[in-house]
Amino acid sequence: MSRGHDSRDNRPVNAMIRQARAVRRLAGDAVSSLTALVTLVVVVATALLSVVGIGLVLARPASSAVRRWADHERSRAGHLLRRPVASPYPPAGTPGRSAVRAHADGGALLRDLLTAALRVVSGVPLALFAVVLPLISINSALIALFWWAFPASKPAESFFALTSWWDALASLAIALVGLGVWLMAPVVARIDAASTARLLSPTRQQELVLRAQLEQVRRRSAVSAHTAELRRIERDLHDAAQNRLVAVTMYVGMAQRQLETGRDDPGPSLAKAQSAASDALTEMRRVIRGIYPPVLAEEGLVPAIGALADLSPVPTRLHVDRPAPTAAAVDAALYFSIAEALTNVVKHSGATEADVQLRWEDGDRGPEVLVVVTDNGRGGAAPSGGTGLSGMAARLQALGGWLDLSSPSGGPTTIRMGLPCEL
């Protein structure tokens, strides 16, 4: 009973939140309309200049401008609909075609331009409906209530001149109808967002093509990640363990010659050989842990991430929601990605605290584990900054996962990762 009572108490607040979101969405359509108009002008100018050859140079920037506008609209629509809007563009790393040709193939460019044209037509009216209609209605209602205070020589005017109470009641009724229509803004905003999402989402044919292209990228990423891992293991063995084993061989050889000649005591050489062998064993164990950490194999993903958080020099909190079994390859990919993210926090962020969130959800492709690593550092992280982010993305992408980075200047930095639980 108490839950139902709380829900009823929250209804007015929830309605106000929905209304505010809808108004913000529809008001933003004006800015989107202006941006779409500029984008269309650029595209038309590029098409006209292509007759003399100059437009061919501008084709790539024009296509990029259209894609950025469409991506922003997908983000806006997804924010209101509370679900991501898929992109019809080929994934990064798809070989064989230029960016302009890839954008044009399959009709993605035409659908983007059509959506932009519709936004130019509808953006300003929707913004006026969301912002101007309530102001006009409230103003008219106030004038209708206080029409009698105006001098007879200059009567109050709302939708028409108010000279009697009947006029005032009619004006007030129109104002209330206007406010009632404005309260339908959440419905209008949802229809607007849903139609935008439908226009900008990939068609069935595009989905099939994208799935094949994504599989190509995944295979290439898997091969690259596997090759990089083999090179890392080879480098670790060569630079550390192999050198220690060479030292063992050298000291044992010295001890053997000392025993044969009887001139010197072989004890110090054997002691050095034992020390070098111990160092080599330590290095071998380190390399083995780098391939698949024992704590991950013995205790599982959550305890292993907890150990990473406990050992981090930057105080790190771990939050886990609805843990579920995951494949060993998924555990390893997430473990090393989170370890790399926490290493970046320590080395580059200047943060004083960090958070790691793990939660298991039912996604479109089945159960998946989501990870969010956040710190309160200076921000400004980028995949090209030598922080290992590109390697993390490749490791996750090879298993069908993804990585998203948000790191504005001044912070905070947020890294989101996701992987399917079953491979």
Side-chain angles (χ1 to χ4, degrees), residues 60-271:
R60 186 183 181 91
S63 173
S64 178
V66 175
R67 287 183 59 158
R68 285 197 300 270
W69 180 87
D71 284 337
H72 181 66
E73 285 301 292
R74 290 187 192 93
S75 177
R76 292 181 64 232
H79 181 73
L80 186 76
L81 298 174
R82 303 291 185 88
R83 60 176 176 83
V85 178
S87 171
Y89 311 135
T94 302
R97 292 182 299 174
S98 67
V100 178
R101 178 62 62 85
H103 190 189
D105 287 351
L109 176 59
L110 289 177
R111 288 162 65 89
D112 291 348
L113 294 176
L114 173 62
T115 308
L118 293 176
R119 176 60 69 220
V120 170
V121 175
S122 65
V124 173
L126 289 174
L128 292 176
F129 163 77
V131 178
V132 178
L133 177 60
L135 297 178
I136 293 177
S137 299
I138 293 173
N139 179 69
S140 299
L142 292 175
I143 291 176
L145 291 174
F146 297 98
W147 71 274
W148 48 269
F150 286 76
S153 58
K154 191 177 181 181
E157 291 189 2
S158 178
F159 301 104
F160 42 80
L162 305 182
T163 58
S164 67
W165 280 109
W166 291 110
D167 294 337
L169 289 175
S171 179
L172 181 61
I174 295 174
L176 293 177
V177 170
L179 287 175
V181 172
W182 177 72
L183 291 176
M184 298 295 293
V187 177
V188 176
R190 190 166 187 84
I191 293 174
D192 177 51
S195 60
T196 300
R198 185 175 182 83
L199 285 170
L200 296 179
S201 295
T203 62
R204 178 61 179 170
Q205 182 63 28
Q206 287 173 333
E207 286 180 349
L208 295 175
V209 173
L210 287 173
R211 196 170 299 170
Q213 292 172 340
L214 181 60
E215 192 59 34
Q216 282 185 326
V217 173
R218 284 182 59 182
R219 284 197 297 266
R220 290 163 61 91
S221 297
V223 172
S224 299
H226 180 66
T227 303
E229 189 68 14
L230 290 178
R231 288 176 178 173
R232 182 188 66 81
I233 295 172
E234 186 273 336
R235 185 173 60 251
D236 289 344
L237 291 174
H238 178 274
D239 295 344
Q242 178 177 285
N243 291 338
R244 299 289 190 274
L245 292 175
V246 170
V248 171
T249 303
M250 182 184 69
Y251 289 131
V252 169
M254 290 175 59
Q256 183 180 10
R257 286 192 297 272
Q258 289 166 347
L259 284 171
E260 291 174 351
T261 60
R263 296 178 181 178
D264 298 311
D265 181 12
S269 297
L270 291 174

Side-chain angles (χ1 to χ4, degrees), residues 204-382:
R204 178 61 179 170
Q205 182 63 28
Q206 287 173 333
E207 286 180 349
L208 295 175
V209 173
L210 287 173
R211 196 170 299 170
Q213 292 172 340
L214 181 60
E215 192 59 34
Q216 282 185 326
V217 173
R218 284 182 59 182
R219 284 197 297 266
R220 290 163 61 91
S221 297
V223 172
S224 299
H226 180 66
T227 303
E229 189 68 14
L230 290 178
R231 288 176 178 173
R232 182 188 66 81
I233 295 172
E234 186 273 336
R235 185 173 60 251
D236 289 344
L237 291 174
H238 178 274
D239 295 344
Q242 178 177 285
N243 291 338
R244 299 289 190 274
L245 292 175
V246 170
V248 171
T249 303
M250 182 184 69
Y251 289 131
V252 169
M254 290 175 59
Q256 183 180 10
R257 286 192 297 272
Q258 289 166 347
L259 284 171
E260 291 174 351
T261 60
R263 296 178 181 178
D264 298 311
D265 181 12
S269 297
L270 291 174
K272 291 179 180 179
Q274 182 181 17
S275 177
S278 177
D279 292 340
L281 182 59
T282 300
E283 290 297 335
M284 289 293 293
R285 286 172 176 169
R286 183 183 65 81
V287 173
I288 292 172
R289 285 196 299 270
I291 298 174
Y292 200 89
V295 66
L296 194 59
E298 296 169 3
E299 301 187 29
L301 179 62
V302 174
I305 302 304
L308 285 177
D310 292 338
L311 295 174
S312 175
V314 175
T316 302
R317 293 182 295 269
L318 175 63
H319 310 273
V320 180
D321 183 22
R322 295 186 298 171
T326 49
V330 173
D331 290 347
L334 289 177
Y335 177 86
F336 287 115
S337 297
I338 295 172
E340 183 69 36
L342 292 179
T343 300
N344 290 339
V345 171
V346 175
K347 290 184 176 180
H348 307 292
S349 71
T352 59
E353 61 180 14
D355 287 278
V356 178
Q357 301 178 22
L358 283 83
R359 66 178 183 271
W360 280 253
E361 294 185 351
D362 291 327
D364 295 336
R365 298 176 297 172
E368 60 180 353
V369 56
L370 305 178
V371 179
V372 181
V373 182
T374 307
D375 67 69
N376 64 345
R378 66 177 67 95

Side-chain angles (χ1 to χ4, degrees), residues 42 45-47 49-64 100:
V42 170
T46 301
L49 291 174
S50 296
V51 177
V52 294
I54 301 177
L56 299 177
V57 180
L58 302 176
R60 186 183 181 91
S63 173
S64 178
V100 178

